[in-house]
Structures are given as structure tokens and as C-alpha cells.
Amino acid sequence: MSRDWNAMAEEDFRAHLRAFIAELCPANLRHLRLRQPPTVTMPWYRALHAAGMIAPGWPAEFGGMALTPERHLVYIEEMEAAGTPWLHDSGVRNLGPAIIAFGTDAQKAEYLPKIAAGEQIWCQGYSEPGAGSDLASLRCAGRIEGDRITITGQKIWTTSAHHATHCFCLVRTAGDGPKQHGITFVLVDMATPGITVRPIRNLGGEDDFCEVFFDGATVGTDCILGAVDDGWKVARSLLGFERIWAGSPRRARRALDELEAMVRTAGLEDEGLWQDRLVQAEFDVLDGQDLYSRFADLVSVDGTIGTEVSALKIHATEAFQRISDWTLEAAGERGTRDDAPLPGQPAPAFTWFESRAPTIFSGANEIHRNILAQRVLGLGKRVAS
Amino acid sequence: MIPLDPDVSRMIADSVARHAAGQATADHLSSLQSQGWLHCALPEASGGLGFGVDAAALIAGGLARACQAEPVATCFMAARMLALVAPDSPPAADLASGRRLVALADGRVRVDGGRLAGTLTHMPLAEVYLVVADDALFAVSGGVEQGTRLDGMPLATLDLQHAEATRLSQGPQAAEALRQVRAEGRLVVAAELLAHAEVMLDITLDHMRTRQQFGQSLGHFQALQHKAADLYGAALLSRAVLDAAIARAAPGLAPDDLDRLACRAKARANDAAMAMARGAIQMFGALGITEEGPLAPHVRRVLALVPLLGTSAELRRAYARIGRVLKRNTSKDQAA
Ligand SMILES: Cc1cc2nc3c(=O)[nH]c(=O)nc-3n(C[C@H](O)[C@H](O)[C@H](O)COP(=O)(O)OP(=O)(O)OC[C@H]3O[C@@H](n4cnc5c(N)ncnc54)[C@H](O)[C@@H]3O)c2cc1C
């Protein structure tokens, strides 16, 4: 089933999404603050898949909606407004586009349908204890013998590894030459013998990311995406999309709703200071939306995302932090009880904890400032990233 | 208003850029006049080109890069006001012929016993002022020069009690037009502010690439790289907001929507320009605070334009009065 979603009038598209969500996303899954395990969210995932709506960014030939970036933003907005749950969709968002760009026909046929159907849940194995911002210094080893590749080493901060069926990892297959060379992108089944996963609890009290240990886990070389030793190219191609996603205004938007609710709860809505902050927060969100649309337009014109997108990621993530700081301040002592956040209710400290992460992941904001200064503005010497 | 088509936009931008790159002429005013840039917002029947806010922003923004945008915004607002409510009036003819300079006088004006009352200060110097009071548009002359603005422009005071006033149009459309023209004026001034910010960024980046200290260019220092990245981000954000606002405003919008867009865009341009002024001066060191330095005319202009039609705090207050759009209850559906 394939329809032209972009040809629909925007209002019709919104109405279609709303009706669909109202019918198929159960109320008990809405406006949840804690991320739910796949057992809870998969029915909604599968409902989206059944309707051909799970992969908004993929081309239609692979079962995607092929939305223009502008439409994609509408899609995100409607999902957010209705409070649909966070999904284990890293396969859709991150891996899918890489397989479409770099995969063999066999890989496309093998993985894309299973990702779309939710039969495979993917996690991203990039970071290591010794390789964070300096990702290319990674050391987790991949040894190729014949048609097998054997992985030994450790990954860390791997989101949802404990729920994932598969992991796309970067491993080192050659140690000589520049550090970006000799990295290979491997698609690993988590059921492979020799893999151990240990969850790490975060400040918000969630077990969201994990350590992943590879102790001689062996998979076929048909699991290598792109060329051996050239996985950096594959990984890099994902970064732009990851960054535009990290730069979407959705988090700041949600934080603004919470700020407004908290200002009202605390009886501050008539104070000039808080009225002003609400407007400042709204400007941050709406202005961020304008910037997002500008980048989205550029992507739809030439299909690539320039390094300038770093500015979008910085604005979106820091606006989220500014707003959540204010919510915590508006809450005062109300914000100090250590309760699990309830659906749709303000949870200022929880949000504040949550707001710390986006300035660190998808490239820490300091790294984005380096990129802007060195690659966009041409200051200092160029450094590889 | 019919928005400019891309070809016309490009033509305007090119000729403005050529003008800005050329020698500043002694008779700045008549050269702008002869290009048609001061009265292009008048309808064609009144001798103008029927252009709107998008053209004015292009012209003002382009000239601002060379600190030559005065009095484009002032004349645009006057021309637009006349276009909306008094296209066949004598001031429209004055503006079209370049005979007399016409400006919109923006401020609180009373009507007392059939006469205008009050004093308007911090006005641009012009021969004819358009004043809205009591549901009518008046033409008033008799402004007196009183001091100089931070950017070197003369400031005028207009004592309405003793000024000669002619009624140009009567009815609620005058106040409605004033509201629209102020909003559009904010977008035009925002275009100037952003242009100054962008030029200061370019100047600063050049300086960072060339100025050597501790054996390397300033651009090697990460502390400064991050400041530059933030200034770049501020300009990029403001550009995205302003271009989107102008694109939406050009074909015409409901008054509240236009006001909201204009408040938001000018607030962002104000903030970008001020951030740039502060950051650029710091990165230039002592040279940054000299009158002869490359930043000075831009910095002075920014300080003069930020309060014009609203500081950021004033604009946010105005926005709050109109009403925010991202309200929590509008973002939830019934099932939630
Ligand atoms: C919630 C969350 C989820 C994540 N999920 C995943 C995942 O699924 N898969 C995965 O592979 N990784 C994941 N990560 C890891 C993430 O990619 C890394 O945290 C990130 O790359 C930064 O690395 P680091 O934490 O080791 O910090 P470091 O690199 O040690 O940085 C520490 C600090 O130093 C600064 N710094 C470092 N280098 C420079 C420099 N050159 N100039 C200036 N400042 C510098 C950084 O900006 C930061 O502020 C996740 C992280 C978080 C927070």
C-alpha cells in the first residue's frame, strides 16, 4: 500500500493522523513520561506499521511514507501533541536510512521489512569507555576470518540495549593509518553467543542505557554494512539526520507546556516575570521551528544536510534546558518530591534531568561549536571529527 | 499585497548591493529617491511601485550593510500608511516626487477641542509627519530638530498644539492601518538590525583569522571559537525567523498574526544584534571601542535601532497582550 502523503492538504493529513491516533493508540499509552519496554509499546508500533505509517522518512519503495521534511515535522507535531509513546524505533530512524544508502540488495531485503514490522529492535553501539566525543578512537575489535567477523570489546551508553534484538556497531578492523580508517560498521544479532548487556540507571531513575560487552561474538561478514574498514563513512552519513532530529523543536515544545502548567499550579500566571518567561520560551520554540524548517527545506532541495545544522542542534537542546530550568524554579519546593512522573503531569526535576542529555548526545554541544567554528567559519585549523 | 516574485527580489537585492558597495554620495537622499527606494510602497497610481514589506526589508537590509539605510524604513512606513488610507493626498505626491520628506509619527496623540495635542519626541527629522489620532490621519508640519541620535541622525520634536494639521482621512481604517504599518515597520527595522549583525560577524571573523597573538591567529583559541559559533548561531536563527516572517507577512495576514510575527522577529533581531555588538567588540580588543574602528558605525546604529518600535522586553509584553499561540490545552486531543 502506498499513497502520496505529501499530496494531501496539510489539514487533511493532520486530521488523518489525529483520527488514526485516537482510534489505535490506547489512552493508557498517552502522555507517559517514563519510557516503556517494547512489550508495552509494540502494539502501537505494529499499528503504525500496518497502516504504512511507521517510517515517515523512508522512500515509498521500502514501505516508508516518503514525507517531505516539512510534512515530517507535522507528523512529529501530531504524535507529540497526542502524547503517543516513545518507541524503540532506532532501526527506523537511524539504521534504516543507512541501509537504504549503503546496503546491498540482500541486506535491504533482509532488514528493512523486519525493522518496519518491529520484528527487530535496534540499538546503536558506537560509544566506548575510551571513545566518547573522540568516537574515531574506538577500539572494540573486529577480527575477520574468511566469511566471519569476531567482535571483542566493550560499548557503553547504548540506549535500550537490554530491549534490543540487534545492535549496529562500529568496530576496529585495522589499526594502522588515520583513526577514521579501519572502522567497520557491523549489524549484530544480540542473541549471538558472547554478548552481555548490563543496564545503567540514569539520574531520572530509568534504566535507559547500558554497557554491552562483546566476548568473541561472531557473525557473518554479510552483516557488514558498507565496505570493510570504511564504516566511518556509513556512520557519518547518519550523523546529519540524527542531528536534525536532535534539533527538532519537539522537546522544547513539551517543556513549554510543562512550564505553563507549573506557572499556573504555582499561582504565578499574573506575575510579569513569569508572563515574560512564558513568552521567551514560546519565542524559543517558534523560532526554533523556523530554523528547523529552513534546514528541512535545504534537505529537500539537495538531499544533504550541511554542517551548519550544528547550530540547530545547539539551539533546540539549550532552549529545552532554559525552559526546564524555569519550570524547576517556578515549582520551588513542589519540585523536590522524588515521585515517579505521572502521565501528563508536570515533573520538573524529572524534566530537568531529561534536559541534560540532549546537549551531550548526538555530539556534545561543545563539539558542535568546534564544528561550526572550524568547518563552517574556517577558524583555526581543521580537525577531523 | 502581492509578494515579490523571486526574479524581482533578486533584481532589487542586486541593485541595492551595488549601491551599497559604491562610494557614499554627497546627496544620499536624492540617490535613494531616484532609485525609487523611498516611495516604492506607494501605489503605482500615486507614482510608486506598489511594493510591500518584503521589498522594503530587502532595500533597508541591503543598504544597512553599508550603514546607508536611512531613511528607508521611515519613508516606507509613511508610504505604506498613505497607500492604505490616503493614496491621493498631497503628502503622497510629496513623497513620490521627492519634494518633501514624509515620516510616520508614532506616539500617543490626543485631540483636544478639535485640535491635536501633545508633544512627540525622538522623531526622525522630516518636513511632513503623518499622525493618527481620534480615528483620523493627519498631515502635520513643523518638527524642530532637537539633538542627535546615537547613530548621528537628527532627532526632532513635534509640538502638536502649535503645528498645522490637515486631515487626510477619517475613519477606523486609520488606526487599523497604523497597527499594520507599525508591524511591517518592525520587520523592516529587524532586517536592518540583522544586516548589521551579519556584517559585524563577517568583520569579526576576518579579524579572528588575521590578528595574531601568542604566535597564532585568534581563531585558534577555542574559547573564542565557541563565542564565534554562538554569534553565528544567533545570526542564523534570526535570519530564519525574519525570512519566514516576511514571507508570511508579504501576502497579508490577520492583524494579530502579523503583530505576533513582527514582535517575535524583531525581538530576535534585537537580541542577535546586541549579542553581536557585545561579542564583536570584545573580540576586537581595544580596537573594538575606537570611534575609527570598523565596528563603530554598526554598533551605534544597532543601539539606535533596538528601541525603535520596541525593545525585546517591550515586544514580548506586546506579544503577551495579543496572546500566546502555544497553549497547552490547544495541543491536546480529546482522548488524552
Ligand atoms: C542519554 C544518552 C544516550 C546515549 N545513547 C547512546 C547510544 O545509544 N549509543 C551510543 O553509542 N552512544 C550513546 N550515548 C553516548 C554519547 O554519544 C556520548 O555521551 C557523547 O558522544 C559524549 O561522549 P562522552 O559522554 O564520553 O563525553 P566526553 O567525550 O568525555 O566529553 C565530556 C565533556 O568534554 C567536552 N569535550 C570533549 N572533547 C572536547 C573538545 N575537543 N573540545 C571541547 N570540549 C570537549 C564534551 O563536550 C563534554 O562536555 C548516549 C549518551 C546519552 C547522554
Side-chain angles (χ1 to χ4, degrees):
Chain A
M1 186 193 88
S2 163
R3 58 197 283 185
D4 189 350
W5 300 97
N6 299 311
M8 285 170 87
E10 184 182 317
E11 271 322 304
D12 296 342
F13 181 63
R14 284 186 190 274
H16 179 83
L17 288 175
R18 277 179 208 166
F20 183 81
I21 296 167
E23 185 187 349
L24 287 161
C25 186
N28 66 348
L29 283 186
R30 308 284 196 93
H31 298 284
L32 298 177
R33 297 301 306 274
L34 297 172
R35 291 184 174 184
Q36 303 299 312
T39 44
V40 175
T41 55
M42 265 304 156
W44 169 234
Y45 189 121
R46 282 193 287 267
L48 285 166
H49 170 248
M53 285 164 47
I54 189 67
W58 291 11
E61 58 175 311
F62 301 113
M65 297 173 82
L67 297 187
T68 62
E70 211 68 272
R71 264 302 142 89
H72 198 157
L73 187 59
V74 171
Y75 177 95
I76 295 170
E77 264 175 28
E78 291 297 329
M79 293 292 170
E80 287 288 320
T84 61
W86 186 87
L87 293 176
H88 293 81
D89 61 353
S90 171
V92 172
R93 273 188 295 110
N94 293 316
L95 182 59
I99 291 180
I100 290 167
F102 294 94
T104 60
D105 287 341
Q107 286 171 329
K108 287 176 193 165
E110 165 67 17
Y111 295 107
L112 294 175
K114 290 178 182 159
I115 292 172
E119 287 164 32
Q120 294 178 349
I121 296 172
W122 287 83
C123 62
Q124 179 186 55
Y126 285 9
S127 305
E128 298 178 7
S133 300
D134 184 11
L135 179 60
S137 68
L138 64 90
R139 289 170 38 196
C140 180
R143 194 163 36 86
I144 297 175
E145 280 169 336
D147 60 359
R148 316 292 292 162
I149 175 166
T150 300
I151 303 171
T152 305
Q154 186 192 343
K155 295 291 174 182
I156 194 168
W157 317 125
T158 321
T159 299
S160 296
H162 50 328
H163 297 308
T165 62
H166 291 72
C167 178
F168 54 98
C169 327
L170 294 176
V171 300
R172 181 151 303 281
T173 39
D176 44 354
K179 62 187 175 181
Q180 287 81 6
H181 177 77
I183 292 172
T184 299
F185 196 110
V186 196
L187 308 170
V188 181
D189 186 334
M190 295 293 276
T192 310
I195 300 177
T196 311
V197 175
R198 201 179 294 152
I200 305 170
R201 181 148 294 191
N202 68 22
L203 267 175
E206 292 183 279
D207 292 337
D208 201 32
F209 45 29
C210 304
E211 292 178 287
V212 182
F213 300 90
F214 293 89
D215 184 11
T218 300
V219 298
T221 48
D222 54 346
C223 296
I224 291 172
L225 185 62
V228 170
D229 290 345
D230 206 13
W232 190 249
K233 187 162 98 193
V234 181
R236 273 190 67 134
S237 80
L238 289 185
L239 292 181
F241 292 97
E242 196 181 323
R243 282 162 190 180
I244 202 160
W245 172 245
S248 103
R250 69 190 190 285
R251 292 192 182 92
R253 172 65 219 271
R254 216 188 304 138
L256 169 59
D257 286 346
E258 190 175 3
L259 173 63
E260 184 179 355
M262 186 45 75
V263 164
R264 210 177 306 129
T265 304
L268 298 169
E269 65 266 51
D270 294 327
E271 286 189 18
L273 173 71
W274 291 97
Q275 287 174 348
D276 189 57
R277 285 181 168 176
L278 280 167
V279 176
Q280 281 190 51
E282 180 160 317
F283 281 11
D284 268 344
V285 173
L286 292 173
D287 291 3
Q289 218 156 292
D290 286 340
L291 188 62
Y292 180 89
S293 301
R294 195 175 177 97
F295 278 108
D297 281 347
L298 291 179
V299 182
S300 50
V301 170
D302 63 8
T304 59
I305 301 173
T307 32
E308 304 85 354
V309 74
S310 291
L312 177 70
K313 196 262 178 182
I314 293 171
H315 173 77
T317 56
E318 295 183 4
F320 179 28
Q321 293 190 340
R322 270 194 296 281
I323 297 170
S324 55
D325 270 351
W326 286 338
T327 308
L328 195 62
E329 196 181 348
E333 289 195 322
R334 279 179 196 81
T336 61
R337 271 181 61 144
D338 198 7
D339 296 332
L342 294 171
Q345 296 300 310
F350 184 80
T351 305
W352 191 90
F353 292 144
E354 234 180 15
S355 76
R356 298 295 105 194
T359 56
I360 298 169
F361 63 56
S362 295
N365 285 19
E366 290 73 21
I367 302 305
H368 284 290
R369 289 184 165 90
N370 291 345
I371 291 171
L372 288 174
Q374 293 161 10
R375 299 222 215 124
V376 178
L377 305 178
L379 298 174
K381 28 176 203 298
R382 293 167 67 99
V383 296
S385 84
Chain B
M1 194 50 45
I2 299 159
L4 294 178
D5 75 60
D7 287 339
V8 178
S9 278
R10 218 167 304 118
M11 271 168 47
I12 297 176
D14 287 348
S15 60
V16 170
R18 261 197 314 278
H19 188 91
Q23 292 286 325
T25 54
D27 204 354
H28 172 66
L29 206 57
S30 57
S31 74
L32 297 191
Q33 175 69 44
S34 65
Q35 296 277 4
W37 291 336
L38 299 182
H39 61 276
C40 59
L42 287 173
E44 288 180 49
S46 309
L49 295 166
F51 283 173
V53 62
D54 45 0
L58 266 183
I59 296 166
L63 293 172
R65 296 187 65 88
C67 293
Q68 290 182 22
E70 206 65 42
V72 174
T74 299
C75 291
F76 165 73
M77 290 200 287
R80 203 70 179 107
M81 192 72 203
L82 292 166
L84 290 170
V85 294
D88 303 320
S89 59
D94 287 339
L95 198 54
S97 65
R99 202 164 43 239
R100 295 201 293 169
L101 198 58
V102 184
L104 180 67
D106 185 24
R108 234 176 266 283
V109 178
R110 289 172 290 123
V111 179
D112 243 0
R115 282 193 73 85
L116 296 178
T119 305
L120 296 175
T121 60
H122 301 97
M123 311 268 297
L125 190 61
E127 282 132 317
V128 181
Y129 292 97
L130 303 176
V131 175
V132 174
D134 213 18
D135 263 359
L137 177 69
F138 296 89
V140 181
S141 52
V144 178
E145 184 167 345
Q146 203 157 68
T148 307
R149 202 166 66 171
L150 283 168
D151 58 349
M153 294 308 297
L155 283 173
T157 294
L158 181 60
D159 177 4
L160 292 165
Q161 211 91 46
H162 302 103
E164 196 181 306
T166 320
R167 189 181 308 256
L168 301 179
S169 141
Q170 176 74 50
Q173 70 274 13
E176 284 159 22
L178 180 62
R179 182 176 175 197
Q180 177 180 340
V181 170
R182 296 187 75 209
E184 292 179 348
R186 282 173 176 153
L187 292 173
V188 177
V189 176
E192 282 190 55
L193 280 162
L194 181 53
H196 290 294
E198 288 169 343
V199 173
M200 285 192 281
L201 177 63
D202 289 346
I203 297 175
T204 304
L205 291 172
D206 267 346
H207 180 71
M208 291 177 75
R209 291 184 197 107
T210 49
R211 167 75 174 164
Q212 301 269 324
Q213 285 295 289
F214 299 97
Q216 49 191 342
S217 73
L218 296 182
H220 277 85
F221 301 115
Q222 195 186 47
L224 301 193
Q225 288 186 355
H226 284 198
K227 282 194 181 178
D230 285 342
L231 295 177
Y232 168 79
L236 203 67
L237 179 64
S238 180
R239 175 54 65 198
V241 173
L242 182 66
D243 286 356
I246 288 172
R248 281 174 230 162
L253 279 178
D256 280 354
D257 292 333
L258 177 63
D259 271 345
R260 282 198 199 92
L261 274 181
C263 287
R264 182 157 69 81
K266 183 165 193 271
R268 190 59 76 180
N270 281 346
D271 297 350
M274 287 302 290
M276 203 68 74
R278 291 187 299 263
I281 289 174
Q282 181 67 16
M283 287 199 258
F284 263 87
L287 187 56
I289 54 169
T290 58
E291 178 157 32
E292 288 290 291
L295 298 171
H298 295 285
V299 170
R300 286 183 159 273
R301 188 83 181 141
V302 165
L303 262 62
L305 295 183
V306 160
L308 186 63
L309 297 168
T311 61
S312 298
E314 286 166 344
L315 294 165
R316 290 196 299 269
R317 221 177 312 137
Y319 186 97
R321 274 197 300 271
I322 304 163
R324 294 198 298 110
V325 289
L326 301 180
K327 291 287 197 168
R328 203 168 129 86
N329 46 9
T330 60
S331 68
K332 286 221 185 128
D333 64 334
Q334 309 314 347

